[in-house]
Amino acid sequence: MKHSPQMLCRFLDQLIARGLVLGLALWLCSAASFAAGNANPASAAALPGDVLQAAVKNWVAQSAKVPADQVTLAPMDARMKVRSCEKALLIDLPFPNPETVRVRCNQPVWQQYVRVSLPSKALVSLAPPKLDKPQEPPKRWVLVASVPLQRGMTLNETHVERVQVDTLGIPVNVLELASEVVYAEVVRDVRPGVPLRSFDIRPAVLVKRGQVVLLSVGQTQGFQISARVEAMQDGRFGEQIKLKNRDSGRELSGRVQGPNQVVGL
């Protein structure tokens, strides 16, 4: 019986040692799983440049009917930063040369050109077919000068006309309706036949300081009262100016709506 305490102590030591080894093993497995989860490359989103190159490679391979490993892309310009696209990328061949591929995005709007290399036979199949008859570009109605327009000239409908022109090469901010030039002043000379742009005109001065103008009030209430008042400042079409009643000396405000015509506020 004197050896019983020693045997019991050894048995307990063995149990404790086994428990420590098992706990250490469980801790190592947990740490390895945590590190593997954080290092999973699938959790990181692909870079926009990689997405673009992969899309071009797949599109060229399918169009030319060749394996993707035969498609070689030229290095992209490091100065050109590829942005993410919220829509599907649009890929086409904008030029007769099949070695230049265009990638476009509609949201946000941008485009990028990529140079590709293929075996000579594949390049022939990738090239777009020649059309017997070129497609006509779409037309658009625009406003052009019908007579020479000189700087400072006040316009009306007789000075312009609406014509249909090709949308290719059309300037930005082009005007489309004759009503857009009513009571407008030309700020630069415009030749006949040239499309008018919004920055070619500005509202004309229709009321000058010190002039007697016709003030109308009450149109919105179903009646109209007119009076002659003095303009206290120059006014262009649509601008609000100060007025003065010469008889009473009272100051008023009105909005310019025509030559020497003001609507009360």
Side-chain angles (χ1 to χ4, degrees), residues 34-257:
F34 178 78
N38 288 343
N40 186 6
S43 62
L47 297 175
D50 297 336
V51 173
L52 182 145
Q53 290 185 331
V56 170
K57 208 165 191 178
N58 292 334
W59 183 86
V60 172
Q62 293 177 6
S63 301
K65 297 179 175 57
V66 297
D69 56 4
Q70 294 187 14
V71 181
T72 303
L73 305 184
M76 300 181 63
D77 191 344
R79 297 171 297 179
M80 299 294 294
K81 183 179 179 181
V82 180
R83 294 180 291 172
S84 300
C85 186
E86 299 179 9
K87 302 291 184 179
L89 293 175
L90 305 176
I91 304 176
D92 63 352
L93 295 172
F95 310 115
N97 181 7
E99 295 181 352
T100 301
V101 175
R102 177 175 60 183
V103 184
R104 291 178 293 165
C105 177
N106 288 336
Q107 188 176 353
V109 178
W110 56 263
Q111 68 177 12
Q112 183 84 18
Y113 294 94
V114 181
R115 299 278 295 178
V116 301
S117 297
L118 283 171
S120 57
K121 294 183 179 180
L123 282 176
V124 174
S125 62
L126 182 62
K130 296 181 179 180
L131 301 177
D132 296 335
K133 183 179 180 181
Q135 296 181 349
E136 295 184 0
K139 301 285 186 179
R140 178 180 173 184
W141 286 100
V142 299
L143 209 63
V144 301
S146 59
V147 296
L149 304 181
Q150 298 180 350
R151 181 179 179 182
M153 182 177 178
T154 301
L155 301 179
N156 57 47
E157 294 92 336
T158 64
H159 298 131
V160 295
E161 60 179 340
R162 295 184 75 220
V163 298
Q164 276 191 321
V165 298
D166 295 340
T167 55
L168 297 177
I170 193 171
V172 296
N173 301 327
V174 66
L175 303 180
E176 299 181 348
L177 302 175
S179 58
E180 297 179 87
V181 302
V182 176
Y183 299 136
E185 174 187 350
V186 183
V187 298
R188 58 176 57 84
D189 296 345
V190 180
R191 300 190 307 272
V194 175
L196 278 174
R197 299 161 295 180
S198 58
F199 47 79
D200 290 331
I201 61 174
R202 66 178 177 181
V205 175
L206 302 178
V207 172
K208 293 186 177 181
R209 180 180 180 182
Q211 283 185 333
V212 175
V213 299
L214 181 64
L215 171 66
S216 301
V217 295
Q219 293 91 331
T220 58
Q221 286 77 25
F223 64 91
Q224 181 172 333
I225 300 176
S226 300
R228 297 287 180 178
V229 294
E230 179 183 350
M232 304 296 292
Q233 58 187 128
D234 294 345
R236 300 180 183 275
F237 180 75
E239 289 184 342
Q240 179 179 333
I241 63 173
K242 293 182 180 180
L243 309 166
K244 181 179 180 180
N245 188 319
R246 289 184 171 181
D247 297 332
S248 63
R250 179 184 176 186
E251 290 191 358
L252 309 168
S253 295
R255 191 177 305 278
V256 179
Q257 71 167 3

